[in-house]
Amino acid sequence: MTTDDNAPVIGIFRTIPGELVVQGARVETLGAGLPTREQQLEFSRGKTVLVSCFSDRVDGELLDAAGPQLKGVCNFAVGYDNIDVAACRERGIPVSNTPDAVTEGTADAAWLLIMATARKLIAADRYARSGQWADDGPIGMAEWLGMDLTGRTLLIVGAGRIGYATALRSQGWGMRVQYVARSPHIEFEMSPLAAQRVTLEEGLRQADVVSIHTPLTDETRHLIGAREIGLMKPTAILVNTARGPVVDESALAAALKEGTIWGAGLDVFEHEPRVHPDLVGLDNITMMPHIGSAEKRWREEMTRMVGRNAERMLRGERPVNPVG
């Protein structure tokens, strides 16, 4: 990093963990809060490389606002549905992301949601804090019964790195793993997972836990809707740590209110940061504010990955983690 006023400038829309070091460049950050579109457009002007987060829309308007000196866009996320890759390609602007670094944290978060939902953690925590437990007396042996996971079936929808890491964690419960993917993934079918590839419909009918790890595309938007949820067992749990619009939240809320599935765990939402109002008051859902990868070690590794990609972009070279 440099203080030279004539040096190329790396512009970051949001604060990121650790220190972004890019040799020969100056780093500027817009701010900690959620910037407005107007602030982003103004901030982009004259930047050499832009660092966006998953909620920052990078399209032709923003690229043009940045100017012809823009040499790259580094997305601080593995998913890049927020970036118009075609518009970047038309302008000769490379795009990078941060794969691998989000894997462990997001897989941990998926299991956090699975366990919390299976054992009714949120409602139990609220009950323990309320003082109602002291009024009611010791818990009866037939009360607060959760869902067991040992030997159950886990369906992974989206057979990428995070899906694999989530499936691997299920071995501690001796779960049977199935997966949905457009093509076979031999690593899923080898030991130790020995997973079976199934269609989405087959998997939903058989699964006790459904964990979504597919990217958001035109094909996966509302991949899980009322029909798909209707195929699930009444004792099944649905978890989404991928992208919110993959699940039709209205259909999910209706199913949870009616008790047609056991529960759900969401780290992502269809219209985040807004949460569907019908989900808020339910006890059979566990929710997190899109913090799946938020483990200190791995978020700092994402910063280092952005630095490596930005340095290559400044030299006119292909980034380490190109997309599109």
Side-chain angles (χ1 to χ4, degrees):
M1 191 167 60
T2 181
T3 57
D4 182 0
D5 289 341
N6 296 319
V9 181
I10 311 299
I12 312 173
F13 287 134
R14 305 282 202 80
T15 55
I16 58 178
E19 182 183 4
L20 179 61
V21 178
V22 180
Q23 293 300 319
R26 185 157 45 91
V27 176
E28 295 181 0
T29 303
L30 176 55
L34 179 65
T36 65
R37 179 65 170 178
E38 291 71 24
Q39 288 173 326
Q40 289 184 326
L41 292 171
E42 178 61 31
F43 178 75
S44 299
R45 289 189 173 88
K47 300 300 185 292
T48 316
V49 174
L50 291 173
V51 179
S52 57
C53 292
F54 61 85
S55 58
D56 299 319
R57 180 163 49 92
V58 178
D59 55 12
E61 181 187 32
L62 189 135
L63 298 172
D64 292 342
Q69 80 295 324
L70 186 66
K71 291 188 175 182
V73 175
C74 299
N75 210 38
F76 200 94
V78 62
Y80 50 92
D81 50 277
N82 59 304
I83 296 179
D84 187 338
V85 177
C88 292
R89 189 182 303 115
E90 288 172 3
R91 293 161 175 79
I93 299 171
V95 178
S96 69
N97 64 346
T98 57
D100 296 319
V102 303
T103 300
E104 298 298 322
T106 308
D108 286 347
W111 270 95
L112 176 63
L113 292 168
I114 292 168
M115 291 298 298
T117 304
R119 296 300 301 271
K120 305 181 179 181
L121 176 63
I122 302 304
D125 178 86
R126 187 183 307 117
Y127 180 75
R129 293 172 186 270
S130 69
Q132 189 65 40
W133 184 20
D135 295 339
D136 293 345
I139 301 296
M141 299 304 287
E143 299 177 77
W144 288 98
L145 298 182
M147 182 60 59
D148 65 288
L149 297 171
T150 301
R152 300 286 189 174
T153 298
L154 170 66
L155 177 68
I156 299 292
V157 181
R161 299 176 183 90
I162 300 172
Y164 184 88
T166 302
L168 194 61
R169 284 156 171 74
S170 75
Q171 299 303 285
W173 285 265
M175 297 182 81
R176 182 167 69 111
V177 178
Q178 297 181 334
Y179 74 98
V180 176
R182 288 177 295 183
S183 59
H185 285 247
I186 191 65
E187 69 277 13
F188 272 75
E189 299 178 18
M190 294 170 62
S191 177
L193 294 184
Q196 176 190 16
R197 182 174 172 237
V198 294
T199 66
L200 180 61
E201 183 170 320
E202 291 170 338
L204 291 172
R205 290 183 187 279
Q206 299 176 51
D208 299 293
V209 177
V210 177
S211 192
I212 299 171
H213 302 283
T214 185
L216 177 63
T217 65
D218 290 340
E219 290 73 25
T220 62
R221 187 176 296 274
H222 280 195
L223 179 70
I224 306 297
R227 176 183 176 278
E228 289 73 26
I229 295 170
L231 297 175
M232 296 172 63
K233 298 177 182 179
T235 54
I237 295 169
L238 176 67
V239 169
N240 187 9
T241 56
R243 286 292 185 266
V246 175
V247 175
D248 181 340
E249 269 182 27
S250 294
L252 176 61
L256 291 173
K257 288 176 70 174
E258 295 164 8
T260 55
I261 62 174
W262 174 269
L266 302 180
D267 180 49
V268 291
F269 299 86
E270 191 170 356
H271 303 291
E272 61 184 57
R274 298 189 304 277
V275 176
H276 194 292
D278 291 344
L279 295 175
V280 175
L282 300 176
D283 282 337
N284 55 348
I285 184 169
T286 308
M287 298 186 286
M288 303 194 306
H290 203 150
I291 55 173
S293 65
E295 292 179 343
K296 185 175 185 294
R297 173 187 176 185
W298 301 113
R299 284 282 177 92
E300 290 178 350
E301 178 58 30
M302 292 169 74
T303 298
R304 288 188 285 271
M305 292 177 75
V306 166
R308 292 192 291 269
N309 284 312
E311 285 184 357
R312 292 180 69 100
M313 289 171 173
L314 290 179
R315 295 196 298 264
E317 300 173 359
R318 182 178 173 83
V320 180
N321 308 108
V323 301

